Amino acid sequence: MGGFAAFLERIGRGVGVVVGTLYQAGRDAVDQALINIIPFMAFIAFVIGIILGTGVGTVLANVLKPLAGTLIGQLVMAVIVGFPVLSPLLGPGAVIAQIIGTLVGVEIGRGNVPPQFALPALFAINPQVGCDFIPVGLSLGEAEPETVEVGVPAVLISRAITGPISVILAWLASFGLYT
């Protein structure tokens, strides 16, 4: 019986280690959600409420809508939307991108904007994607404060640079799509 009891004891200890590890991982996940993610979600809900409640999103979308009909206009739109100070404010909930995308889609459907501008328009309205989540992502990765100080502006500036480049690449890729 001694060998069988030792075998059961080893299995019991192994199961205990696995259960303990999984339990601690669950506690850590809930802790991260409460400390980092939930406050960020509350902030984003607040910003989305302000954008929708004040009508700023619709006004900005209507101002940017005429730019969607030309490549130069889409490049200008990508620069405006990807501007490092604006992009974290435009990013939450993708409210601005949704409104502009809907308006551009309607204009394409009406024939006012050629369909070959659909793909570049997608990239023109989305340079801000992810810019609102950078600080949270860095904090989830437990980045040092110095990393956050350098990382956030680096990502914002890189999105401002790659936004117009992605519009040009999408414009080139759209040749022959709608013929």
Side-chain angles (χ1 to χ4, degrees):
M1 280 298 216
F4 185 68
F7 173 73
L8 288 178
E9 181 182 342
R10 277 189 292 196
I11 289 187
R13 285 184 188 195
V15 169
V17 167
V18 170
V19 169
T21 302
L22 293 176
Y23 178 72
Q24 187 59 42
R27 288 180 59 162
D28 291 345
V30 169
D31 188 45
Q32 282 286 354
L34 290 174
I35 291 172
N36 294 317
I37 297 173
I38 302 295
F40 176 72
M41 291 173 66
F43 168 72
I44 294 304
F46 175 71
V47 172
I48 291 171
I50 289 173
I51 290 171
L52 293 176
T54 61
V56 169
T58 305
V59 169
L60 186 58
N62 284 324
V63 167
L64 294 176
K65 181 177 70 169
L67 299 175
T70 65
L71 178 62
I72 300 298
Q74 289 182 348
L75 289 170
V76 169
M77 186 184 319
V79 167
I80 292 170
V81 173
F83 191 68
V85 176
L86 284 178
S87 55
L89 301 173
L90 298 177
V95 174
I96 305 297
Q98 289 177 35
I99 296 170
I100 296 172
T102 302
L103 294 173
V104 170
V106 168
E107 293 302 313
I108 290 172
R110 289 181 180 163
N112 297 335
V113 174
Q116 65 264 24
F117 287 115
L119 185 60
L122 174 67
F123 288 93
I125 63 176
N126 282 318
Q128 85 289 353
V129 170
C131 291
D132 55 334
F133 193 73
I134 298 163
V136 174
L138 288 172
S139 69
L140 286 174
E142 298 178 359
E144 298 292 326
E146 295 82 17
T147 305
V148 175
E149 289 175 12
V150 173
V152 171
V155 171
L156 294 176
I157 290 169
S158 71
R159 293 296 289 167
I161 293 168
T162 59
I165 293 171
S166 66
V167 170
I168 292 170
L169 292 175
W171 178 71
L172 292 172
S174 70
F175 281 116
L177 283 178
Y178 302 101
T179 57

